[in-house]
Amino acid sequence: FQYFSIQIFASNNLDLIKKKLDFIIINKKLNRKDLYIVAFDNNLGNEFLLVYKDFLSRNSALNYCLNYLNFLPNCLIVNVQNLD
């Protein structure tokens, strides 16, 4: 990963994340190599994020999201380097 990615989906259920991944690849025609599953621990246990692409800056990720990912209700940009 570089620094920033676009969050597509989040869940504490890995199977649900995998189903969403398959759905996105088939229905939204996103390239599998640009999609990642990231796991991290929080106070409530494990959390999984389905994220898309890598960007050097938050601003470039946000611009990409706003211009090309119109199926997302909100553009959530995560700094994947800071996830623990």
Side-chain angles (χ1 to χ4, degrees), residues 7 20 25 28-29 33 35 51-52 54 61 70 74 77:
Q7 180 179 314
K20 187 69 166 184
I25 292 168
K28 301 302 180 188
K29 308 291 191 232
K33 71 177 184 67
L35 291 157
V51 297
Y52 182 63
D54 296 321
N70 59 358
N74 296 303
I77 310 304

Side-chain angles (χ1 to χ4, degrees), residues 66-80:
L66 292 171
N67 289 311
Y68 300 106
L69 300 178
N70 59 358
F71 64 90
L72 293 176
N74 296 303
C75 289
L76 299 174
I77 310 304
V78 293
N79 184 336
V80 292

Side-chain angles (χ1 to χ4, degrees), residues 7-35:
Q7 180 179 314
I8 302 289
F9 188 68
S11 176
N12 61 354
N13 183 325
L14 184 57
D15 289 332
L16 195 56
I17 290 283
K18 290 177 180 178
K19 287 178 184 175
K20 187 69 166 184
L21 172 66
D22 291 338
F23 175 85
I24 292 292
I25 292 168
I26 292 167
N27 294 295
K28 301 302 180 188
K29 308 291 191 232
L30 298 183
N31 194 326
R32 171 63 181 101
K33 71 177 184 67
D34 292 326
L35 291 157

Side-chain angles (χ1 to χ4, degrees), residues 2-4 55-62 77:
Q2 292 184 20
Y3 295 101
F4 299 95
F55 299 90
L56 289 174
S57 73
R58 181 177 300 279
N59 198 41
S60 60
L62 182 60
I77 310 304

